[in-house]
Amino acid sequence: MFFVPELIEKKRNGGKLSKDEIRYLVEGYVKGEIPDYQMAAFLMAVYFRGMDEEETAELTLAMARSGEMVDLSAIEGVKVDKHSSGGIADTTTLVLLPLAASAGVKVAKLSGRGLGHTGGTIDKLESIPGFNTELSKEEFIRIVNEIGAAISGQSKDLVPADKKLYALRDVTATVDSIPLIASSIMSKKIACGADKIILDVKFGNGAFMKKYEDALELAKTMVKIGELAGKPTVAYVTDMDQPLGMAIGNALEIIEAAEVLKGRGHEDLLNLSLEFGAEMMRLSGIEEDKAKAREKLLENIKSGKALEKFKEIINKQGGNPGVLEDYSLLPQARFRCEVEAQEEGWIESIDALKLGLTAMKLGAGRQKKDDRIDHSVGIWLGGKIGDRVEKGKPLAVIYANDEEKLKWALKEVREAFRISPNKVEKRKLIRARITAENLEEF
Ligand code: URA
Ligand code: CA
């Protein structure tokens, strides 16, 4: 038994809480024995005083254990999970799932829906007619064992401590605290049964973390938590000052993933998928040499093996794999409209956040938890920073189902692009890679 005001006071004065004290707070809060006002005061103390790595790891584990802990031990091999801190046109998971599986990695992906500019990976997959994202635990494990990959929605009982704490942080101005963000993300990864974790921490205008330095610190903290929790973690810091891929939307991102797997996708999305795929192969013990792993993955794209794997996954989960060959089988928007460049030059900047918000208002994402997603709408970009544009050629194509929204979106999307008369350098996508032993910055 502890006296909660004393724990709050200890943190308020910059002290370090023990494992038992942290557990007491998390368990008591989830059970409803510790009221919101005490937890709010504690969170604010953490916000100002921080937590050291051990405290953050204990908080993470206490949160992870607050609900169901998924057991993936019936799947043979090392289970590596990839998590992205959220960005615009981030189609990586859709590409990675079949790509890594095609090279022998066991991909057991449990994914949330959440809020955002487009849906989560689960929502995107639900653009595919028939695709079942509510697999039973038995079906999920059976499919991974049979074909190497499956994806399903998370159980509602996953990390209840995070749901409750996040809601409280949201209304007490304590969201942007690195130990609180790190424990929130890592508790969910650990509860999902991953043995090893790859994190894509994004920074920039379209990301949760606006500054590189903050993203780097968050990444380092999460790698440390992983190490202390016995879940080896590799984190990347990547650029989200412009959208990652070319598609922002749900069905559109299915098309983009298919294009990458056919060898026709944008180089950034391809490169990031190859990097994470190679890292997954290394962490699973399939290929230690990352250059060789990348080669193998590229080979699986060229031979069509990775695309076949995507079809297999879709087929096993009840969907129509024909959508990957005939995109007209996916939900179609009523209106398709090009945003033409009004001058020639080079793309100097793209406001990722503005494009994300525009896609969301077209219906591609959720503003509120129970908003319905329109799978057909979104934006397809005509170029990225450093690309040449010609007057009258499309900067982007908008897909919409509502004429008023389309008109408004045309203006928003046009404003999101800045064109320079001078040549502009392309942006570097991968900026850092962090392991427990090493930090590389690029
Ligand atoms: N994403 C999360 O899952 N948790 C946070 O606290 C912030 C971003
Ligand atoms: Ca995403």
Side-chain angles (χ1 to χ4, degrees), residues 60-133:
T60 304
L61 287 173
M63 287 169 71
R65 291 177 187 137
S66 66
E68 184 190 344
M69 295 281 275
V70 178
D71 179 3
L72 298 177
S73 59
I75 300 167
E76 222 178 287
V78 183
K79 274 74 71 185
V80 185
D81 198 0
K82 193 277 293 182
H83 174 82
S84 155
S85 69
I88 318 281
D90 183 2
T91 310
T92 321
T93 302
L94 284 175
V95 177
L96 195 56
L97 207 71
L99 182 60
S102 77
V105 177
K106 291 285 165 56
V107 193
K109 184 79 188 159
L110 292 168
S111 207
R113 282 176 207 274
L115 301 171
H117 311 104
T118 60
T121 303
I122 291 283
D123 298 294
K124 294 171 192 174
L125 285 164
E126 282 178 349
S127 314
I128 301 171
F131 197 99
N132 176 16
T133 58

Side-chain angles (χ1 to χ4, degrees), residues 235-253:
Y236 286 79
V237 176
T238 66
D239 178 53
M240 192 35 81
D241 245 356
Q242 67 174 332
L244 172 59
M246 307 302 260
I248 309 171
N250 294 276
L252 294 179
E253 292 189 41

Side-chain angles (χ1 to χ4, degrees), residues 78 80 100 103-106 196 198 236 274-300 433:
V78 183
V80 185
V105 177
K106 291 285 165 56
K196 301 187 182 182
I198 298 174
Y236 286 79
L274 290 173
E275 181 65 30
F276 293 157
E279 195 71 65
M280 285 175 106
M281 287 171 74
R282 189 183 73 80
L283 290 171
S284 321
I286 292 171
E287 176 57 71
E288 186 58 34
D289 182 335
K290 274 180 57 195
K292 278 194 193 145
R294 280 178 80 103
E295 232 168 81
K296 173 81 190 141
L297 294 166
L298 258 181
E299 210 178 281
N300 286 357
R433 175 176 176 273

Side-chain angles (χ1 to χ4, degrees), residues 377-396:
V377 300
I379 304 165
W380 195 289
L381 304 184
K384 290 187 64 171
I385 293 173
D387 285 345
R388 173 89 189 148
V389 291
E390 302 298 337
K391 191 173 172 185
K393 287 276 165 29
L395 286 175

Side-chain angles (χ1 to χ4, degrees), residues 95 255-266 269-270 273 301:
V95 177
I255 296 173
E256 182 166 42
E259 288 292 297
V260 175
L261 293 169
K262 290 173 186 178
R264 304 193 295 232
H266 192 277
L269 188 53
L270 173 66
S273 305
I301 289 177

Side-chain angles (χ1 to χ4, degrees), residues 94-257:
L94 284 175
V95 177
L96 195 56
L97 207 71
L99 182 60
S102 77
V105 177
K106 291 285 165 56
V107 193
K109 184 79 188 159
L110 292 168
S111 207
R113 282 176 207 274
L115 301 171
H117 311 104
T118 60
T121 303
I122 291 283
D123 298 294
K124 294 171 192 174
L125 285 164
E126 282 178 349
S127 314
I128 301 171
F131 197 99
N132 176 16
T133 58
E134 304 287 330
L135 301 175
S136 71
K137 215 157 296 154
E138 294 71 30
E139 282 173 304
F140 178 68
I141 288 174
R142 180 178 54 77
I143 296 176
V144 180
N145 277 331
E146 279 176 19
I147 63 170
I151 178 162
S152 185
Q154 290 166 355
S155 133
K156 292 191 178 38
D157 191 38
L158 206 78
V159 199
D162 180 59
K163 293 196 183 80
K164 217 172 157 185
L165 283 169
Y166 199 97
L168 187 60
R169 286 165 59 204
D170 211 18
V171 293
T172 56
T174 50
V175 168
D176 52 342
S177 148
I178 286 188
L180 297 179
I181 299 169
S183 54
S184 164
I185 294 174
M186 290 297 280
S187 63
K188 286 173 274 193
K189 294 295 108 186
I190 291 170
C192 278
D195 301 313
K196 301 187 182 182
I197 299 160
I198 298 174
L199 299 167
D200 180 6
V201 183
K202 299 185 181 294
F203 76 96
N205 153 284
F208 191 77
M209 289 287 171
K210 302 297 171 197
K211 295 209 299 270
Y212 171 74
E213 291 72 23
D214 293 339
L216 185 64
E217 186 176 347
L218 175 62
K220 285 180 181 167
T221 305
M222 292 195 286
V223 168
K224 195 72 201 179
I225 294 174
E227 193 193 354
L228 291 171
K231 308 280 183 189
T233 299
V234 178
Y236 286 79
V237 176
T238 66
D239 178 53
M240 192 35 81
D241 245 356
Q242 67 174 332
L244 172 59
M246 307 302 260
I248 309 171
N250 294 276
L252 294 179
E253 292 189 41
I254 296 290
I255 296 173
E256 182 166 42

Side-chain angles (χ1 to χ4, degrees), residues 358 361-363 398 400 402-410:
T358 305
K361 286 180 193 148
L362 285 170
I398 300 173
D402 179 304
E403 244 176 322
E404 282 302 306
K405 285 185 187 168
L406 173 63
K407 258 208 284 198
W408 168 81
L410 275 167

